[in-house]
């Protein structure tokens, strides 16, 4: 009987875990749960005798992969798989998959929610600003970007997007202005939402030069990864411009300096929570379980990323 481990330092909603269990039961697989663990040793111990692992932002490195003697597949229930050592997985004959699009709506809603929260001064009763009539620049037009464009237009924003990997027709068919040049996107839009993966090309790529291009009322919204920001550059932009604001789903390493110096110009979630809704957990968790069953029973490698 195949053994499936759900290893989530930040657990799924209970309803999603029940759904995963049902899929495992129906396939004749055994489900093992490791939730809220704080020590990597617990993950390594749990990985030892399982065939498959479902994770979220949990780190799957060489040590974990080497420990998983029966391991065949790891599914990242979510979009970004920068937390998995793909090279080590491939070397160990372990297939890695993600579940693209399954939690995107939750992330897009959080991005907009955080913009409104900061615009209304944390709902403290003082006069704030509105999104209507402002320009929203979507940096990365994948699943999240597409939903954000729809919400932005609903809010009366003018929506622009840049994505070198997406055909401009797809962007324009959504009624969104396609900007082929990233700098132009940043120089046009007061609000920029970043929805790109963290990889060798993107890490540190949001630098002083790019952020400085933003017009008056600049608000950068990062629901992607903190690593894509060049934090030294971010601090310089904060220092140079009184209008610059930064919203991020998970605080940057330079959080304390920003908090001490730039009150009212930032919002950081205490824990990464873009995908933390029951709906997103159900969508991504169940998709992950189904992909594992499909791979183990039929060799289906759809969504393989290594
Ligand atoms: C993702 O890459 O899917 C999101 O960042 C969500 O991450 P999480 O599952 O750790 O909340």
């Amino acid at each position: 009987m195949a053994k499936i481990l759900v290893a989530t330092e930040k657990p799924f909603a209970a309803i999603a875990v029940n759904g995963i269990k049902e899929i495992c039961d129906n396939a004749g697989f055994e489900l093992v749960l490791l939730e809220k663990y704080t020590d990597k040793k617990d993950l390594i111990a749990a990985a030892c005798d399982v065939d498959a692992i479902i994770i979220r932002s949990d780190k799957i490195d060489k040590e974990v992969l080497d420990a998983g003697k029966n391991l065949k597949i790891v599914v990242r229930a979510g979009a970004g798989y920068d937390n998995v050592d793909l090279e080590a997985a491939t070397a160990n004959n372990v297939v890695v998959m993600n579940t693209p699009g399954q939690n995107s709506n939750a992330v897009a809603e959080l991005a907009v929610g955080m913009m409104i929260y900061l615009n209304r001064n944390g709902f403290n009763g003082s006069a704030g600003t509105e999104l209507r009539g402002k320009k929203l620049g979507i940096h990365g037009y994948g699943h999240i970007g597409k939903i954000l464009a729809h919400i932005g237009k609903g809010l009366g924003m003018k929506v622009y997007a840049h994505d070198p990997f997406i055909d401009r027709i797809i962007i324009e068919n959504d009624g969104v202005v396609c900007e082929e040049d990233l700098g132009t996107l940043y120089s046009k839009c007061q609000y920029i939402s970043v929805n790109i993966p963290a990889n060798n090309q993107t890490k540190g790529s949001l630098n002083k030069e790019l952020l400085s291009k933003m017009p008056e009322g600049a608000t950068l919204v990062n629901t992607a990864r903190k690593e894509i920001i060049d934090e030294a550059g971010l601090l310089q932009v904060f220092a140079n411009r009184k209008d610059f604001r930064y919203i991020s789903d998970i605080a940057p390493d330079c959080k304390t300096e920003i908090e001490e110096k730039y009150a009212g110009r930032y919002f950081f979630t205490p824990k990464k929570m873009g995908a933390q809704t029951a709906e997103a957990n159900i969508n991504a968790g169940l998709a992950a379980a189904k992909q594992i069953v499909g791979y183990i029973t039929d060799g289906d490698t759809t969504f393989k990323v290594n």
Side-chain angles (χ1 to χ4, degrees):
M1 183 194 266
K3 228 173 166 180
I4 316 300
L5 170 68
V6 172
T8 46
E9 173 272 322
K10 180 177 60 188
F12 290 123
I15 186 169
V17 178
N18 293 341
I20 293 170
K21 178 152 181 14
E22 205 178 309
I23 291 168
C24 289
D25 287 348
N26 289 342
F29 293 0
E30 184 189 345
L31 177 71
V32 183
L33 269 184
L34 174 70
E35 295 183 322
K36 291 188 187 169
Y37 62 94
T38 49
D39 195 333
K40 185 179 162 189
K41 285 196 193 90
D42 295 336
L43 175 60
I44 290 171
C48 273
D49 66 339
V50 299
D51 297 271
I53 308 181
I54 296 175
I55 50 157
R56 297 186 64 178
S57 288
D58 308 79
K59 282 210 168 20
I60 301 292
D61 60 13
K62 187 173 181 311
E63 211 183 337
V64 178
L65 289 157
D66 287 346
K69 297 289 174 229
N70 297 337
L71 195 58
K72 297 162 187 64
I73 175 167
V74 172
V75 182
R76 194 284 189 240
Y81 44 87
D82 48 307
N83 48 326
V84 183
D85 184 335
L86 295 187
E87 231 171 85
T90 306
N92 284 274
N93 285 322
V94 172
V95 164
V96 180
M97 294 185 187
N98 66 348
T99 64
Q102 299 291 351
N103 57 20
S104 308
N105 188 67
V107 179
E109 285 191 15
L110 182 74
V112 175
M114 292 193 296
M115 289 187 227
I116 294 175
Y117 180 82
L118 193 62
N119 276 4
R120 295 305 185 91
N121 307 315
F123 303 130
N124 69 2
S126 64
T129 53
E130 300 182 18
L131 291 171
R132 187 169 64 171
K134 307 295 189 314
K135 290 178 178 151
L136 171 63
I138 299 176
H139 180 175
Y141 202 74
H143 295 278
I144 300 166
K146 207 171 168 64
I147 298 168
L148 259 178
H150 184 72
I151 301 175
K153 285 198 293 173
L155 288 166
M157 301 182 86
K158 176 96 179 135
V159 184
Y160 298 74
H162 167 87
D163 194 324
F165 303 104
I166 303 278
D167 198 302
R168 69 178 301 134
I169 300 294
I170 293 174
I171 296 175
E172 286 170 353
N173 279 350
D174 288 345
V176 171
V177 179
C178 177
E179 292 297 349
E180 305 236 319
D181 176 59
L182 184 63
T184 308
L185 184 85
Y186 275 71
S187 60
K188 276 192 182 165
C189 301
Q190 294 100 342
Y191 292 82
I192 295 277
S193 173
V194 195
N195 317 106
I196 58 174
N199 55 38
N200 290 341
Q201 284 71 48
T202 62
K203 281 182 190 166
S205 64
L206 304 191
N207 55 23
K208 183 183 166 215
E209 193 197 341
L210 188 64
L211 302 182
S212 300
K213 289 183 191 290
M214 292 181 74
E216 175 72 25
T219 306
L220 180 71
V221 186
N222 179 5
T223 52
R225 295 287 183 271
K226 69 175 178 179
E227 292 81 5
I228 62 176
I229 296 272
D230 165 9
E231 293 201 9
L234 175 74
L235 285 172
Q236 281 175 292
V237 179
F238 258 110
N240 293 348
R241 294 180 52 164
K242 286 200 163 48
D243 65 311
F244 180 82
R245 304 185 304 170
Y246 182 48
I247 292 169
S248 182
D249 182 17
I250 197 168
D253 295 337
C254 61
K255 166 184 178 232
T256 312
E257 182 166 348
I258 294 174
E259 283 175 347
E260 279 168 8
K261 293 185 179 167
Y262 307 116
R265 292 170 52 194
Y266 66 87
F267 177 73
F268 307 134
T269 51
K271 198 173 174 79
K272 186 150 159 285
M273 55 169 286
Q276 199 60 328
T277 65
E279 292 90 337
N281 290 174
I282 292 168
N283 293 344
L286 270 57
K290 285 177 193 161
Q291 287 172 213
I292 287 171
V293 173
Y295 178 67
I296 292 181
T297 57
D298 296 323
D300 183 347
T301 51
T302 313
F303 303 120
K304 181 175 185 270
V305 295
N306 66 331

